Amino acid sequence: NPGGWGVEQSLFFESGDNSYMQEIQGAGTGQSFSFSFWILRRNVSTAEGWVVNGSPSGSAGYPDYIRFESGDTLRYRIYSKGKDITTTATFSDVTVWYNVVANYDGSSGAVKLYVNGTEVGSSTGVSSGGSYFNDTGAGNLLDLMHSGSGGNNAYGYLAEFIKVDNQVLGPTEFGYDD
């Protein structure tokens, strides 16, 4: 608990020691999905800070991700769907927990990104292709606090990471700020 910033059941990731989590995903529907997580950044305004990365099995690629950009904006990209949102708002306060919710609606092609309950970006329009966040082919990688290639890992605390298959959920479906 460096600096006393952690909360119960949060995980601290230090980019310098290349700490991260990785899951080999089972088969999802590939159509709709939602993410929710809390993050407390401990290093800002540097290189990208990768929070979530979905890549093909056996490859450390960058197709789909949620990351902080070097200017402290937040970017949500689903490469195979042609979706790419970068916020205009910045998130550089290292004393504040941010709740990030991101979703994709496979039937409409809509993508939405929320921070602390406020929509900060969206994209519409149907597109083809799978998604490495939730592909129908099992074996794709889901990395937390890691780029997939080992560089620019996010530095800070991560808590209550939730991934939901086949549902498009907004911030109110995941609870409340206490």
Side-chain angles (χ1 to χ4, degrees), residues 19-57:
S19 58
Y20 65 94
M21 294 181 72
Q22 184 177 76
E23 174 189 55
I24 298 175
Q25 299 184 85
T29 64
Q31 297 304 309
S32 298
F33 54 87
S34 302
F35 289 105
S36 175
F37 58 87
W38 287 88
I39 187 163
L40 174 68
R41 301 183 71 200
R42 301 305 293 151
N43 190 10
V44 296
S45 301
T46 58
E48 294 105 12
W50 295 73
V51 181
V52 184
N53 181 62
S55 57
S57 177

mmCIF file of all heavy atoms in Angstrom, residues 19-57:
data_model
loop_
_atom_site.group_PDB
_atom_site.id
_atom_site.type_symbol
_atom_site.label_atom_id
_atom_site.label_comp_id
_atom_site.label_asym_id
_atom_site.label_seq_id
_atom_site.Cartn_x
_atom_site.Cartn_y
_atom_site.Cartn_z
ATOM 1 N N SER A 19 4.704 -5.496 -13.649
ATOM 2 C CA SER A 19 3.636 -6.287 -13.049
ATOM 3 C C SER A 19 2.339 -6.085 -13.829
ATOM 4 O O SER A 19 2.013 -4.971 -14.226
ATOM 5 C CB SER A 19 3.451 -5.907 -11.572
ATOM 6 O OG SER A 19 3.168 -4.541 -11.442
ATOM 7 N N TYR A 20 1.636 -7.174 -14.078
ATOM 8 C CA TYR A 20 0.375 -7.139 -14.807
ATOM 9 C C TYR A 20 -0.360 -8.451 -14.590
ATOM 10 O O TYR A 20 0.169 -9.380 -13.990
ATOM 11 C CB TYR A 20 0.587 -6.887 -16.295
ATOM 12 C CG TYR A 20 1.329 -7.991 -17.020
ATOM 13 C CD1 TYR A 20 0.632 -9.003 -17.679
ATOM 14 C CD2 TYR A 20 2.711 -8.016 -17.069
ATOM 15 C CE1 TYR A 20 1.301 -10.017 -18.341
ATOM 16 C CE2 TYR A 20 3.392 -9.018 -17.738
ATOM 17 C CZ TYR A 20 2.682 -10.017 -18.367
ATOM 18 O OH TYR A 20 3.340 -11.020 -19.029
ATOM 19 N N MET A 21 -1.599 -8.507 -15.097
ATOM 20 C CA MET A 21 -2.383 -9.741 -15.063
ATOM 21 C C MET A 21 -2.773 -10.091 -16.493
ATOM 22 O O MET A 21 -3.015 -9.195 -17.308
ATOM 23 C CB MET A 21 -3.631 -9.568 -14.211
ATOM 24 C CG MET A 21 -3.336 -9.343 -12.750
ATOM 25 S SD MET A 21 -4.824 -9.166 -11.761
ATOM 26 C CE MET A 21 -5.417 -10.844 -11.754
ATOM 27 N N GLN A 22 -2.860 -11.396 -16.771
ATOM 28 C CA GLN A 22 -3.236 -11.836 -18.105
ATOM 29 C C GLN A 22 -4.174 -13.033 -17.998
ATOM 30 O O GLN A 22 -3.975 -13.913 -17.156
ATOM 31 C CB GLN A 22 -1.999 -12.233 -18.902
ATOM 32 C CG GLN A 22 -2.298 -12.620 -20.333
ATOM 33 C CD GLN A 22 -1.025 -12.930 -21.098
ATOM 34 O OE1 GLN A 22 -0.449 -13.996 -20.921
ATOM 35 N NE2 GLN A 22 -0.602 -11.992 -21.912
ATOM 36 N N GLU A 23 -5.189 -13.033 -18.849
ATOM 37 C CA GLU A 23 -6.139 -14.134 -18.896
ATOM 38 C C GLU A 23 -6.248 -14.618 -20.339
ATOM 39 O O GLU A 23 -6.291 -13.823 -21.268
ATOM 40 C CB GLU A 23 -7.520 -13.662 -18.433
ATOM 41 C CG GLU A 23 -8.599 -14.711 -18.598
ATOM 42 C CD GLU A 23 -9.990 -14.157 -18.346
ATOM 43 O OE1 GLU A 23 -10.374 -13.172 -18.993
ATOM 44 O OE2 GLU A 23 -10.678 -14.732 -17.508
ATOM 45 N N ILE A 24 -6.287 -15.932 -20.521
ATOM 46 C CA ILE A 24 -6.610 -16.494 -21.828
ATOM 47 C C ILE A 24 -8.119 -16.658 -21.824
ATOM 48 O O ILE A 24 -8.680 -17.383 -21.000
ATOM 49 C CB ILE A 24 -5.892 -17.824 -22.078
ATOM 50 C CG1 ILE A 24 -4.382 -17.600 -22.057
ATOM 51 C CG2 ILE A 24 -6.356 -18.434 -23.396
ATOM 52 C CD1 ILE A 24 -3.564 -18.862 -22.162
ATOM 53 N N GLN A 25 -8.783 -15.955 -22.724
ATOM 54 C CA GLN A 25 -10.241 -15.902 -22.715
ATOM 55 C C GLN A 25 -10.869 -17.156 -23.301
ATOM 56 O O GLN A 25 -10.344 -17.751 -24.219
ATOM 57 C CB GLN A 25 -10.719 -14.699 -23.525
ATOM 58 C CG GLN A 25 -10.224 -13.380 -22.972
ATOM 59 C CD GLN A 25 -10.789 -12.233 -23.742
ATOM 60 O OE1 GLN A 25 -11.884 -11.799 -23.450
ATOM 61 N NE2 GLN A 25 -10.063 -11.764 -24.739
ATOM 62 N N GLY A 26 -12.024 -17.487 -22.777
ATOM 63 C CA GLY A 26 -12.860 -18.521 -23.364
ATOM 64 C C GLY A 26 -13.646 -17.912 -24.510
ATOM 65 O O GLY A 26 -13.518 -16.729 -24.820
ATOM 66 N N ALA A 27 -14.454 -18.693 -25.147
ATOM 67 C CA ALA A 27 -15.239 -18.201 -26.276
ATOM 68 C C ALA A 27 -16.360 -17.297 -25.786
ATOM 69 O O ALA A 27 -17.188 -17.705 -24.984
ATOM 70 C CB ALA A 27 -15.817 -19.363 -27.070
ATOM 71 N N GLY A 28 -16.383 -16.075 -26.269
ATOM 72 C CA GLY A 28 -17.476 -15.149 -25.982
ATOM 73 C C GLY A 28 -18.380 -15.076 -27.195
ATOM 74 O O GLY A 28 -18.149 -15.735 -28.209
ATOM 75 N N THR A 29 -19.399 -14.272 -27.108
ATOM 76 C CA THR A 29 -20.306 -14.132 -28.243
ATOM 77 C C THR A 29 -19.690 -13.287 -29.342
ATOM 78 O O THR A 29 -20.073 -13.396 -30.495
ATOM 79 C CB THR A 29 -21.611 -13.451 -27.817
ATOM 80 O OG1 THR A 29 -21.322 -12.113 -27.394
ATOM 81 C CG2 THR A 29 -22.303 -14.236 -26.721
ATOM 82 N N GLY A 30 -18.750 -12.408 -28.974
ATOM 83 C CA GLY A 30 -18.145 -11.528 -29.962
ATOM 84 C C GLY A 30 -19.034 -10.382 -30.376
ATOM 85 O O GLY A 30 -18.671 -9.579 -31.215
ATOM 86 N N GLN A 31 -20.216 -10.299 -29.809
ATOM 87 C CA GLN A 31 -21.173 -9.293 -30.253
ATOM 88 C C GLN A 31 -21.230 -8.069 -29.346
ATOM 89 O O GLN A 31 -20.991 -6.973 -29.792
ATOM 90 C CB GLN A 31 -22.561 -9.920 -30.397
ATOM 91 C CG GLN A 31 -22.604 -11.005 -31.450
ATOM 92 C CD GLN A 31 -22.124 -10.507 -32.804
ATOM 93 O OE1 GLN A 31 -22.580 -9.491 -33.293
ATOM 94 N NE2 GLN A 31 -21.176 -11.213 -33.391
ATOM 95 N N SER A 32 -21.576 -8.248 -28.117
ATOM 96 C CA SER A 32 -21.721 -7.136 -27.191
ATOM 97 C C SER A 32 -20.960 -7.444 -25.913
ATOM 98 O O SER A 32 -20.847 -8.598 -25.515
ATOM 99 C CB SER A 32 -23.196 -6.905 -26.848
ATOM 100 O OG SER A 32 -23.936 -6.573 -27.998
ATOM 101 N N PHE A 33 -20.427 -6.401 -25.264
ATOM 102 C CA PHE A 33 -19.717 -6.589 -24.006
ATOM 103 C C PHE A 33 -19.600 -5.263 -23.278
ATOM 104 O O PHE A 33 -19.795 -4.192 -23.857
ATOM 105 C CB PHE A 33 -18.335 -7.204 -24.215
ATOM 106 C CG PHE A 33 -17.475 -6.461 -25.198
ATOM 107 C CD1 PHE A 33 -16.679 -5.406 -24.792
ATOM 108 C CD2 PHE A 33 -17.463 -6.811 -26.532
ATOM 109 C CE1 PHE A 33 -15.884 -4.715 -25.685
ATOM 110 C CE2 PHE A 33 -16.674 -6.134 -27.451
ATOM 111 C CZ PHE A 33 -15.881 -5.081 -27.030
ATOM 112 N N SER A 34 -19.268 -5.350 -21.996
ATOM 113 C CA SER A 34 -19.083 -4.169 -21.154
ATOM 114 C C SER A 34 -17.928 -4.413 -20.192
ATOM 115 O O SER A 34 -17.691 -5.543 -19.771
ATOM 116 C CB SER A 34 -20.344 -3.885 -20.331
ATOM 117 O OG SER A 34 -21.463 -3.701 -21.158
ATOM 118 N N PHE A 35 -17.212 -3.330 -19.876
ATOM 119 C CA PHE A 35 -16.159 -3.344 -18.867
ATOM 120 C C PHE A 35 -16.477 -2.296 -17.821
ATOM 121 O O PHE A 35 -17.023 -1.243 -18.143
ATOM 122 C CB PHE A 35 -14.798 -2.934 -19.462
ATOM 123 C CG PHE A 35 -14.172 -3.931 -20.371
ATOM 124 C CD1 PHE A 35 -14.166 -3.734 -21.732
ATOM 125 C CD2 PHE A 35 -13.541 -5.057 -19.857
ATOM 126 C CE1 PHE A 35 -13.563 -4.638 -22.574
ATOM 127 C CE2 PHE A 35 -12.929 -5.964 -20.703
ATOM 128 C CZ PHE A 35 -12.941 -5.755 -22.066
ATOM 129 N N SER A 36 -16.085 -2.554 -16.593
ATOM 130 C CA SER A 36 -16.104 -1.543 -15.545
ATOM 131 C C SER A 36 -14.895 -1.791 -14.656
ATOM 132 O O SER A 36 -14.579 -2.940 -14.348
ATOM 133 C CB SER A 36 -17.383 -1.626 -14.717
ATOM 134 O OG SER A 36 -17.326 -0.710 -13.633
ATOM 135 N N PHE A 37 -14.204 -0.720 -14.277
ATOM 136 C CA PHE A 37 -13.097 -0.845 -13.332
ATOM 137 C C PHE A 37 -12.841 0.498 -12.668
ATOM 138 O O PHE A 37 -13.252 1.545 -13.161
ATOM 139 C CB PHE A 37 -11.816 -1.363 -14.005
ATOM 140 C CG PHE A 37 -11.316 -0.524 -15.151
ATOM 141 C CD1 PHE A 37 -10.474 0.559 -14.945
ATOM 142 C CD2 PHE A 37 -11.677 -0.836 -16.450
ATOM 143 C CE1 PHE A 37 -10.011 1.316 -16.011
ATOM 144 C CE2 PHE A 37 -11.220 -0.087 -17.529
ATOM 145 C CZ PHE A 37 -10.383 0.992 -17.305
ATOM 146 N N TRP A 38 -12.187 0.427 -11.520
ATOM 147 C CA TRP A 38 -11.733 1.611 -10.793
ATOM 148 C C TRP A 38 -10.222 1.660 -10.910
ATOM 149 O O TRP A 38 -9.552 0.634 -10.779
ATOM 150 C CB TRP A 38 -12.132 1.518 -9.320
ATOM 151 C CG TRP A 38 -13.586 1.715 -9.100
ATOM 152 C CD1 TRP A 38 -14.564 0.754 -9.124
ATOM 153 C CD2 TRP A 38 -14.250 2.947 -8.834
ATOM 154 N NE1 TRP A 38 -15.783 1.321 -8.883
ATOM 155 C CE2 TRP A 38 -15.625 2.663 -8.686
ATOM 156 C CE3 TRP A 38 -13.825 4.266 -8.694
ATOM 157 C CZ2 TRP A 38 -16.566 3.650 -8.414
ATOM 158 C CZ3 TRP A 38 -14.765 5.244 -8.414
ATOM 159 C CH2 TRP A 38 -16.113 4.933 -8.285
ATOM 160 N N ILE A 39 -9.683 2.851 -11.168
ATOM 161 C CA ILE A 39 -8.236 3.008 -11.278
ATOM 162 C C ILE A 39 -7.794 4.280 -10.563
ATOM 163 O O ILE A 39 -8.463 5.311 -10.634
ATOM 164 C CB ILE A 39 -7.770 3.009 -12.757
ATOM 165 C CG1 ILE A 39 -6.252 3.004 -12.835
ATOM 166 C CG2 ILE A 39 -8.395 4.149 -13.536
ATOM 167 C CD1 ILE A 39 -5.690 2.610 -14.183
ATOM 168 N N LEU A 40 -6.694 4.153 -9.844
ATOM 169 C CA LEU A 40 -6.028 5.291 -9.222
ATOM 170 C C LEU A 40 -4.656 5.375 -9.864
ATOM 171 O O LEU A 40 -3.812 4.499 -9.658
ATOM 172 C CB LEU A 40 -5.900 5.104 -7.708
ATOM 173 C CG LEU A 40 -5.096 6.175 -6.967
ATOM 174 C CD1 LEU A 40 -5.822 7.520 -6.989
ATOM 175 C CD2 LEU A 40 -4.820 5.748 -5.538
ATOM 176 N N ARG A 41 -4.453 6.384 -10.680
ATOM 177 C CA ARG A 41 -3.179 6.546 -11.388
ATOM 178 C C ARG A 41 -2.119 7.067 -10.421
ATOM 179 O O ARG A 41 -2.388 7.906 -9.585
ATOM 180 C CB ARG A 41 -3.344 7.515 -12.549
ATOM 181 C CG ARG A 41 -4.390 7.037 -13.540
ATOM 182 C CD ARG A 41 -4.497 7.960 -14.715
ATOM 183 N NE ARG A 41 -3.297 7.820 -15.525
ATOM 184 C CZ ARG A 41 -2.879 8.731 -16.399
ATOM 185 N NH1 ARG A 41 -3.542 9.852 -16.556
ATOM 186 N NH2 ARG A 41 -1.793 8.529 -17.101
ATOM 187 N N ARG A 42 -0.895 6.584 -10.559
ATOM 188 C CA ARG A 42 0.195 7.056 -9.708
ATOM 189 C C ARG A 42 1.310 7.681 -10.524
ATOM 190 O O ARG A 42 2.287 8.163 -9.967
ATOM 191 C CB ARG A 42 0.741 5.900 -8.856
ATOM 192 C CG ARG A 42 -0.306 5.257 -7.959
ATOM 193 C CD ARG A 42 -1.033 6.209 -7.037
ATOM 194 N NE ARG A 42 -0.112 6.734 -6.053
ATOM 195 C CZ ARG A 42 -0.222 7.924 -5.485
ATOM 196 N NH1 ARG A 42 -1.211 8.713 -5.803
ATOM 197 N NH2 ARG A 42 0.649 8.315 -4.613
ATOM 198 N N ASN A 43 1.184 7.667 -11.844
ATOM 199 C CA ASN A 43 2.179 8.278 -12.716
ATOM 200 C C ASN A 43 1.446 8.822 -13.933
ATOM 201 O O ASN A 43 0.778 8.076 -14.634
ATOM 202 C CB ASN A 43 3.228 7.239 -13.133
ATOM 203 C CG ASN A 43 4.408 7.862 -13.827
ATOM 204 O OD1 ASN A 43 4.558 9.072 -13.847
ATOM 205 N ND2 ASN A 43 5.250 7.028 -14.406
ATOM 206 N N VAL A 44 1.554 10.104 -14.180
ATOM 207 C CA VAL A 44 0.796 10.730 -15.269
ATOM 208 C C VAL A 44 1.722 11.521 -16.178
ATOM 209 O O VAL A 44 2.885 11.739 -15.871
ATOM 210 C CB VAL A 44 -0.313 11.651 -14.710
ATOM 211 C CG1 VAL A 44 -1.340 10.851 -13.937
ATOM 212 C CG2 VAL A 44 0.263 12.753 -13.855
ATOM 213 N N SER A 45 1.150 11.948 -17.318
ATOM 214 C CA SER A 45 1.836 12.810 -18.294
ATOM 215 C C SER A 45 3.149 12.232 -18.789
ATOM 216 O O SER A 45 4.077 12.954 -19.104
ATOM 217 C CB SER A 45 2.062 14.210 -17.710
ATOM 218 O OG SER A 45 0.842 14.792 -17.365
ATOM 219 N N THR A 46 3.226 10.915 -18.862
ATOM 220 C CA THR A 46 4.413 10.273 -19.423
ATOM 221 C C THR A 46 3.976 9.508 -20.661
ATOM 222 O O THR A 46 3.097 9.938 -21.374
ATOM 223 C CB THR A 46 5.069 9.335 -18.385
ATOM 224 O OG1 THR A 46 4.113 8.358 -17.972
ATOM 225 C CG2 THR A 46 5.547 10.117 -17.163
ATOM 226 N N ALA A 47 4.558 8.382 -20.910
ATOM 227 C CA ALA A 47 4.137 7.550 -22.038
ATOM 228 C C ALA A 47 2.746 6.987 -21.766
ATOM 229 O O ALA A 47 2.192 7.159 -20.684
ATOM 230 C CB ALA A 47 5.148 6.413 -22.227
ATOM 231 N N GLU A 48 2.187 6.299 -22.741
ATOM 232 C CA GLU A 48 0.861 5.701 -22.547
ATOM 233 C C GLU A 48 0.845 4.802 -21.318
ATOM 234 O O GLU A 48 1.850 4.208 -20.976
ATOM 235 C CB GLU A 48 0.469 4.838 -23.751
ATOM 236 C CG GLU A 48 0.267 5.579 -25.022
ATOM 237 C CD GLU A 48 1.421 5.371 -25.986
ATOM 238 O OE1 GLU A 48 2.257 4.478 -25.763
ATOM 239 O OE2 GLU A 48 1.476 6.110 -26.964
ATOM 240 N N GLY A 49 -0.316 4.707 -20.707
ATOM 241 C CA GLY A 49 -0.521 3.791 -19.587
ATOM 242 C C GLY A 49 -1.628 2.825 -19.950
ATOM 243 O O GLY A 49 -2.802 3.163 -19.886
ATOM 244 N N TRP A 50 -1.260 1.625 -20.364
ATOM 245 C CA TRP A 50 -2.216 0.623 -20.825
ATOM 246 C C TRP A 50 -2.946 0.018 -19.632
ATOM 247 O O TRP A 50 -2.318 -0.490 -18.715
ATOM 248 C CB TRP A 50 -1.490 -0.466 -21.594
ATOM 249 C CG TRP A 50 -0.875 0.027 -22.851
ATOM 250 C CD1 TRP A 50 0.234 0.814 -22.958
ATOM 251 C CD2 TRP A 50 -1.326 -0.200 -24.170
ATOM 252 N NE1 TRP A 50 0.500 1.071 -24.272
ATOM 253 C CE2 TRP A 50 -0.445 0.460 -25.043
ATOM 254 C CE3 TRP A 50 -2.386 -0.917 -24.710
ATOM 255 C CZ2 TRP A 50 -0.593 0.434 -26.418
ATOM 256 C CZ3 TRP A 50 -2.533 -0.943 -26.080
ATOM 257 C CH2 TRP A 50 -1.648 -0.274 -26.918
ATOM 258 N N VAL A 51 -4.276 0.035 -19.666
ATOM 259 C CA VAL A 51 -5.078 -0.521 -18.587
ATOM 260 C C VAL A 51 -5.656 -1.869 -19.014
ATOM 261 O O VAL A 51 -5.513 -2.855 -18.309
ATOM 262 C CB VAL A 51 -6.204 0.449 -18.160
ATOM 263 C CG1 VAL A 51 -7.002 -0.140 -17.014
ATOM 264 C CG2 VAL A 51 -5.629 1.809 -17.777
ATOM 265 N N VAL A 52 -6.306 -1.933 -20.168
ATOM 266 C CA VAL A 52 -6.886 -3.172 -20.681
ATOM 267 C C VAL A 52 -6.430 -3.345 -22.123
ATOM 268 O O VAL A 52 -6.485 -2.406 -22.914
ATOM 269 C CB VAL A 52 -8.437 -3.134 -20.652
ATOM 270 C CG1 VAL A 52 -9.012 -4.473 -21.097
ATOM 271 C CG2 VAL A 52 -8.956 -2.759 -19.280
ATOM 272 N N ASN A 53 -5.976 -4.556 -22.472
ATOM 273 C CA ASN A 53 -5.543 -4.841 -23.837
ATOM 274 C C ASN A 53 -6.068 -6.206 -24.249
ATOM 275 O O ASN A 53 -5.883 -7.186 -23.533
ATOM 276 C CB ASN A 53 -4.011 -4.814 -23.930
ATOM 277 C CG ASN A 53 -3.521 -5.085 -25.347
ATOM 278 O OD1 ASN A 53 -3.811 -4.343 -26.252
ATOM 279 N ND2 ASN A 53 -2.777 -6.154 -25.513
ATOM 280 N N GLY A 54 -6.748 -6.258 -25.390
ATOM 281 C CA GLY A 54 -7.196 -7.524 -25.955
ATOM 282 C C GLY A 54 -6.404 -7.802 -27.212
ATOM 283 O O GLY A 54 -6.322 -6.959 -28.099
ATOM 284 N N SER A 55 -5.775 -8.966 -27.284
ATOM 285 C CA SER A 55 -4.954 -9.283 -28.451
ATOM 286 C C SER A 55 -5.172 -10.734 -28.875
ATOM 287 O O SER A 55 -5.644 -11.555 -28.095
ATOM 288 C CB SER A 55 -3.473 -9.017 -28.146
ATOM 289 O OG SER A 55 -3.043 -9.746 -27.031
ATOM 290 N N PRO A 56 -4.804 -11.037 -30.133
ATOM 291 C CA PRO A 56 -5.029 -12.392 -30.633
ATOM 292 C C PRO A 56 -4.166 -13.426 -29.919
ATOM 293 O O PRO A 56 -3.096 -13.115 -29.423
ATOM 294 C CB PRO A 56 -4.650 -12.303 -32.113
ATOM 295 C CG PRO A 56 -4.001 -10.998 -32.319
ATOM 296 C CD PRO A 56 -4.226 -10.151 -31.117
ATOM 297 N N SER A 57 -4.673 -14.631 -29.889
ATOM 298 C CA SER A 57 -3.957 -15.733 -29.267
ATOM 299 C C SER A 57 -2.559 -15.859 -29.858
ATOM 300 O O SER A 57 -2.387 -15.859 -31.072
ATOM 301 C CB SER A 57 -4.725 -17.030 -29.499
ATOM 302 O OG SER A 57 -4.019 -18.112 -28.976
#
